[in-house]
Amino acid sequence: QVQLEESGGGSVQPGGSLRLSCQILGPAFTSISMGWFRQAPGKKREGVAALDGDGSTRYADFVKDRFTISKEKNTLYLQMNDLKVEDTSMYFCAATWGIATLEAEYFSYWGQGTQVTVSS
């Protein structure tokens, strides 16, 4: 069983930065694939970034060159720079024993989410 716990959300102005963290509770899962997703009210959950167990990464076009996904030991990170109003959403981390994609349906384990609000 994989348990995930996000933190690091908050409110920032456009152009600001935040770093989200996702603690993986339990033994060190070095080969597990991870991802960050987001869902705004009334919208479908969308993939933001994914990290395979071998270290390869994938990013949604709308966050390329602004967001960076990384993992250190049992913590997954999402560094978010140059935040835009449209990045406002609930952000979730997720895990899968398969290949990390940007499709939510392939992930089996989910955290409760952390809110990110970007406004002036």
Side-chain angles (χ1 to χ4, degrees):
Q1 183 72 12
V2 179
Q3 291 181 291
L4 307 172
E5 190 172 283
E6 304 95 335
S7 62
S11 296
V12 294
Q13 294 185 336
S17 297
L18 280 175
R19 188 175 79 158
L20 305 184
S21 300
C22 174
Q23 186 76 23
I24 308 164
L25 304 176
F29 298 109
T30 56
S31 62
I32 201 167
S33 297
M34 306 286 298
W36 285 101
F37 294 80
R38 68 187 189 185
Q39 187 169 21
K43 293 191 176 181
K44 185 180 174 183
R45 188 168 296 191
E46 58 184 359
V48 174
L51 176 68
D52 267 322
D54 65 0
S56 58
T57 58
R58 294 173 181 81
Y59 293 95
D61 288 342
F62 54 79
V63 301
K64 277 181 181 175
D65 300 324
R66 298 191 298 125
F67 292 9
T68 304
I69 188 171
S70 62
K71 182 171 173 282
E72 183 175 337
K73 293 184 181 178
N74 271 20
T75 303
L76 180 73
Y77 299 101
L78 184 68
Q79 177 66 43
M80 305 187 294
N81 298 328
D82 189 23
L83 282 160
K84 304 177 186 303
V85 172
E86 52 264 39
D87 293 320
T88 296
S89 192
M90 183 71 78
Y91 284 72
F92 299 87
C93 75
T96 177
W97 292 111
I99 296 172
T101 72
L102 296 178
E103 303 296 327
E105 65 218 57
Y106 294 106
F107 286 78
S108 303
Y109 308 101
W110 292 86
Q112 293 300 308
T114 185
Q115 178 68 36
V116 171
T117 302
V118 185
S119 69
S120 54

